[in-house]
Amino acid sequence: MKKTLLFIFLLLIVAGYYTKVYGQELCSLRAPAYPLITIDPYTSGWSFTDRLYDEPVKHWTGKELPLLGAIRVDGQTYRFMGTEETETRAIVKNSEQEQWNGKYVFDDPGAGWEKLSFNDTGWETGSAAFGTKNSESAIETSWKTEHIWVRREVIFEKDIITREPVFLELSHDDDAEIYINGIEIVNTGNSARENVMIKLPDNAKKTLKKGRNVIAAHCRNRVGNALLDFGLYVEMPLKKTFNQTAVQKSVVVLPTQTVYMFTCGSVDLKLTFTAPLLMHATELMSRPVNYISYEAKSNDGKSHAVEIYLEAGTAWALNVPNQESYSETFEKDDFLYLKTGSKKQAILGKKGDNVRIDWGYFYLCAEKSNTNTAAGSGPAMRATFSNQGMVIKEKIPASLNGHDKLTISRSLGKVNGATTGYFMSGYDDLYSIQYFGVNLRPYWNRNGDKDIFFAFSQAAREYHSLKRECDRFDTEMMQVAGKAGGNKYAALCALAYRQAISAHKLAEAPNGDLLFLSKENFSNGSIGTVDITFPSSPLFLYYNPELAKALLNHIFYYSESGKWIKPFAAHDVGTYPIANGQTYGGDMPVEESGNMLIITAAIAAIEGNAIYAQKHWNVLTTWADYLVEKGLDPDNQLCTDDFAGHFAHNTNLSIKAILAIASYGRLAAMSGKKEIAEKYTRKAKEMAREWIKMADDGNHFRLTFDQSGTWSQKYNLVWDKLLQLNIFPAGVAEKEIAYYLTKQNIYGLPLDNRKAYTKADWIMWTATLSDDKAVFERFISPLYKFMNETTSRVPMTDWYWTDKPEQRGFQARSVVGGFFIKLLETKLSSNN
């Protein structure tokens, strides 16, 4: 009874501390997903569940990044992180593992093409994968027609007899039908997926005999890129060791840290994931090392023998789990290291959205004291730890398959009072970005004069000071955000912070420019997209305007170098991580030009001068003049909300153009160009008066100038307020806000009248139009409710339905940096 009361008392103290410091809303927010390791778009690990031990840790794309944790207390083992997952072994490898050849034709081969007995001697022979040469996958055989038929002969040395399931792994774009020895396995219909696993039916599995077998495929490319690749995998039997779980008591997401509390029998465990993404220090935020800290404490007043175990999978350095990998464990200076990477090491060899890094090396690192490391069979090392409280260092082969594990065990000795320590995880990508033909190293090693061991040793030396600095930063940010927009707003900002920053990569251009290049996650994978930069910019404007400049530098260079010759700003500079020029299929002339001008003006407002704008004056003038001519009543074109499709006469896009022209006028005034300032400011005000006449629809303003009875969020109007441009009368925003309050659904304000979906970042901007904090919170509360209740358990989405708790699309994107617009408002107000 005394033990139980003491335990409850300790939990109440911990819960009370976090609630007092950070507010009830933060402590009660059930995040859609919890950030764990957040270094960049590739090294990004999340928990998609309420409890850390309910599912594997995953990349934001949803692919598993195995990270397993357990603690042993007086011989009893408790799993506190991740799960022991069944694994597969390749019996027929796909092209990611080894190049394979198949017979193929582009014209219909006639009936029976899928059968084992079909005569394919007249077909061409080619290497996989088959598809569009410029697609995201490594294509060996070009396929440019609508259809392709492929037959792959497989020779087995013995019958495939197993009780375990056998899976077809398939990558296809678009429709695919697959047969094994004449038996249909799947007909996907109109879809495109990569590395999907499809269980073979028993009748197909039984045909996998010694000798000749045939996998036959037909794929149809309806539009865009084409892709076809496949292999066969058998599930490996798994005997689980860590069946007993800890009891998770709480989890809190802070700006730079995620903190878990567990009870593990007679010991309480505090586990903290820290990413020191402190934006005043670009060297630090670029360092590719995160911390996993622990604090173990007896909860019954007695001493207990405690050991802790950490395990990572080689998938952290692979695009797909079955790629061949190389791993090793070694000592250097005062640290133990575990290292893994792909065998192929095709540096910057992949680009696209649903792609993970498979060059460079993932590391776990620990101080030597009372610590062992090993790599190899996960089940064997778990059993050894469970039985002995340690792992035994093994001799590592030069090549491992993608399922081998990297493990650390540490004895904490007899634990009574708090016993603390940490591990480090990191990634050395060697080269991060290809920038107009030049491969760039990561910013922390931009000159090539450092190595990853320097980064780890520096991280270790600074651990205690950085942990204190992160604690201070988290507390201060939550207090400032809470004061500006309420505790629910602060909780959402905390959840957005690491997501927004780690969706970028920091590098230095050959001309010395700082580059902060976004990846357009869960969209099209574009790099340096301007209409991703625009919504994310408030976070970086608030904390470090040099990073805001770094969001723009590549677009200025693209135009000023003559590589982009159109009279408006480009949409992007490529597909991540290849930044050799725009790859997006269409332009957004008004959108992107307006974005560049407004952010440049915001930088000037933060810094109190227009020096940065003067450096790029000629191209800014070109864009401003384009908007004077084309911006008031935009032609049929896309805006940042391109998922809604092309449409003309977009009133919100027109606001952006008008405020961008006014921004140019402000920049001219700050540069001493009085006549130019007066000319463009006058033009912006003239256009604003026309806008009011054209858009007015009684008690609100229209979605498009030509359609009465429509409405939309005029989120672009917020820059008139923030930059104090005074182009639109205050009554415009007031009328819109009053109308929006009549249109809210349970989970927030729809984007416009056409659909019930919305954008989370734009809700924040729209709410900031109001001067009344209570009104601001009326818009934020439904957004908080959505994040707290959504059934879409993924890193925070910014595109969701307002009438049901479901994601519409997008996740893990940097645009949630836009949540900081309320804080930016306070900063700009204090500057004036």
Side-chain angles (χ1 to χ4, degrees), residues 156 159-162 166 180-181 183 185 200-210 213:
F156 290 129
D159 293 350
I160 304 299
I161 301 174
T162 176
V166 177
I180 293 179
N181 295 329
I183 297 174
I185 307 302
L200 266 60
D202 286 342
N203 62 336
K205 182 177 159 184
K206 290 175 182 177
T207 71
L208 299 176
K209 300 292 187 181
K210 177 180 178 180
N213 297 261

Side-chain angles (χ1 to χ4, degrees), residues 26 39 72 81 232 268 275 285 452 455 468 482 505 523 632 664 676 696 731 745 755 757 759 789 828:
L26 173 70
I39 291 174
R72 191 170 179 263
M81 175 168 60
L232 291 179
D268 292 336
M285 66 177 287
I452 192 66
R468 289 191 297 269
K505 193 69 179 184
S523 179
L632 176 60
Y664 180 76
I676 294 174
D696 189 62
N745 288 329
K755 301 278 188 179
Y757 59 57
K759 290 283 272 83
E789 297 180 1
L828 288 170

Side-chain angles (χ1 to χ4, degrees), residues 691-711:
W691 185 95
I692 292 169
K693 294 176 186 176
M694 296 163 62
D696 189 62
D697 209 38
N699 62 350
H700 68 281
F701 295 95
R702 301 174 180 180
L703 165 68
T704 63
F705 292 123
D706 61 333
Q707 296 182 50
S708 62
T710 61
W711 65 274

Side-chain angles (χ1 to χ4, degrees), residues 589-591 593-594 623-635 637 648-661 683 687-688 691 694 705 728:
V590 173
E591 175 71 39
S593 300
W623 296 338
D625 288 342
Y626 180 87
L627 295 177
V628 168
E629 181 182 355
K630 303 285 189 178
L632 176 60
D633 190 5
D635 295 334
Q637 61 188 274
H649 318 299
N650 182 338
T651 59
N652 189 46
L653 186 58
S654 177
I655 290 173
K656 178 170 289 181
I658 294 167
L659 295 180
I661 293 165
K683 183 62 179 178
M687 293 170 73
W691 185 95
M694 296 163 62
F705 292 123
F728 287 85

Side-chain angles (χ1 to χ4, degrees), residues 610-611 613-614 617 666-674:
I611 294 172
Q614 290 164 18
W617 194 254
R666 172 66 59 80
L667 291 169
M670 295 178 73
S671 302
K673 305 176 190 293
K674 183 178 179 181

Side-chain angles (χ1 to χ4, degrees), residues 151-349:
R151 288 172 56 87
R152 180 180 183 181
E153 184 177 278
V154 178
I155 305 297
F156 290 129
E157 295 182 357
K158 59 182 181 180
D159 293 350
I160 304 299
I161 301 174
T162 176
R163 295 179 179 179
E164 309 303 326
V166 177
F167 294 88
L168 169 74
E169 186 189 55
L170 175 62
S171 296
H172 63 99
D173 190 351
D174 298 297
D175 314 38
E177 51 179 321
I178 309 291
Y179 297 82
I180 293 179
N181 295 329
I183 297 174
E184 183 177 273
I185 307 302
V186 66
N187 189 328
T188 68
N190 184 11
S191 66
R193 294 186 294 175
E194 292 189 31
N195 307 113
V196 63
M197 303 292 278
I198 302 161
K199 186 178 178 181
L200 266 60
D202 286 342
N203 62 336
K205 182 177 159 184
K206 290 175 182 177
T207 71
L208 299 176
K209 300 292 187 181
K210 177 180 178 180
R212 181 173 176 268
N213 297 261
V214 170
I215 306 174
H218 167 225
C219 197
R220 177 188 178 190
N221 182 33
R222 294 174 181 263
V223 66
N225 292 330
L227 172 64
L228 180 62
D229 188 21
F230 47 82
L232 291 179
Y233 297 81
V234 61
E235 187 174 281
M236 300 166 65
L238 172 67
K239 182 179 180 180
K240 295 185 178 182
T241 304
F242 297 159
N243 294 304
Q244 183 174 217
T245 66
V247 177
Q248 183 176 309
K249 293 300 181 179
S250 66
V251 56
V252 175
V253 178
L254 304 172
T256 67
Q257 303 181 89
T258 301
V259 184
Y260 287 89
M261 296 289 190
F262 302 96
T263 295
C264 313
S266 301
V267 167
D268 292 336
L269 174 67
K270 178 181 178 183
L271 190 72
T272 304
F273 296 86
T274 303
L277 296 171
L278 303 172
M279 284 185 278
H280 67 277
T282 51
E283 292 279 353
L284 172 62
M285 66 177 287
S286 173
R287 184 190 299 162
V289 178
N290 278 191
Y291 303 105
I292 304 173
S293 309
Y294 59 84
E295 177 185 293
K297 182 186 294 186
S298 171
N299 59 36
D300 64 0
K302 299 177 182 178
S303 295
H304 301 278
V306 177
E307 299 89 22
I308 195 165
Y309 173 95
L310 184 66
E311 173 188 303
T314 56
W316 282 87
L318 304 174
N319 180 41
V320 293
N322 288 298
Q323 288 177 262
E324 290 188 319
S325 62
Y326 169 89
S327 299
E328 60 178 319
T329 179
F330 56 91
E331 298 182 10
K332 187 174 177 62
D333 301 324
D334 296 324
F335 299 97
L336 299 173
Y337 287 92
L338 289 150
K339 171 186 177 182
T340 188
S342 70
K343 187 176 179 182
K344 189 178 287 187
Q345 286 297 310
I347 293 176
L348 297 170

Side-chain angles (χ1 to χ4, degrees), residues 410-447:
R410 175 174 290 167
S411 172
L412 307 189
K414 288 289 187 178
V415 169
N416 193 337
T419 299
T420 63
Y422 68 96
F423 303 115
M424 294 181 285
S425 64
Y427 204 100
D428 184 6
D429 58 4
L430 306 178
Y431 288 90
S432 303
I433 302 291
Q434 186 173 102
Y435 186 69
F436 295 101
V438 179
N439 289 354
L440 303 182
R441 296 180 185 274
Y443 185 77
W444 67 272
N445 189 28
R446 56 195 176 279
N447 299 317

Side-chain angles (χ1 to χ4, degrees), residues 336 367-372 409-413:
L336 299 173
E367 295 173 318
K368 288 181 182 179
S369 179
N370 300 314
T371 304
N372 282 14
S409 67
R410 175 174 290 167
S411 172
L412 307 189

